[in-house]
Amino acid sequence: MVAYDGDTAVGCGGLRRIADDGDEVRFEVKHVFVLPEGRGHGVATAVMDVLEQAAAAFGATSIVLDTNDALVAAGAMYRSRGYDRVPAFNDNPNATAWYRKPVR
């Protein structure tokens, strides 16, 4: 999904189905990014809202993502949205933190 401010793209994010984990149907949030001029205006929240709603509509029972602890604001946003830190579920060499949120 792409977030716009008028005609200008200011943020984006993706969603993909990954292998189930036991009984969990998992979708992974990928590449959430907001341009500096879009930060602090709720763009990341709007992107995450759309991605989480789409995952639920596609049948997810959990949503997972990875990030790097150096991205302090990202980690804080994910935790504030109900994501809990979990053991690594992939081998992303850039990630230092992995999160999961159940879909209810």
Side-chain angles (χ1 to χ4, degrees):
M1 80 83 56
V2 178
Y4 289 89
D5 180 6
D7 293 333
T8 304
V10 294
C12 64
L15 189 65
R16 72 174 175 169
R17 173 83 191 266
I18 62 171
D20 295 348
D21 184 20
D23 291 334
E24 288 193 356
V25 176
R26 299 186 302 171
F27 280 76
E28 182 180 16
V29 170
K30 298 297 296 176
H31 305 295
V32 173
F33 177 76
V34 177
L35 289 173
E37 56 269 27
R39 294 178 187 159
H41 300 285
V43 174
T45 297
V47 168
M48 288 299 295
D49 286 348
V50 169
L51 296 177
E52 289 176 1
Q53 290 167 8
F58 291 145
T61 60
S62 69
I63 302 170
V64 296
L65 58 86
D66 63 42
T67 190
N68 189 292
D69 284 319
L71 301 172
V72 175
M77 178 186 66
Y78 299 138
R79 288 187 300 276
S80 75
R81 295 182 67 85
Y83 287 83
D84 293 317
R85 200 155 176 161
V86 296
F89 58 84
N90 64 24
D91 59 358
N92 180 352
N94 298 312
T96 59
W98 291 261
Y99 289 92
R100 175 189 169 276
K101 178 180 179 177
V103 176
R104 296 183 170 84

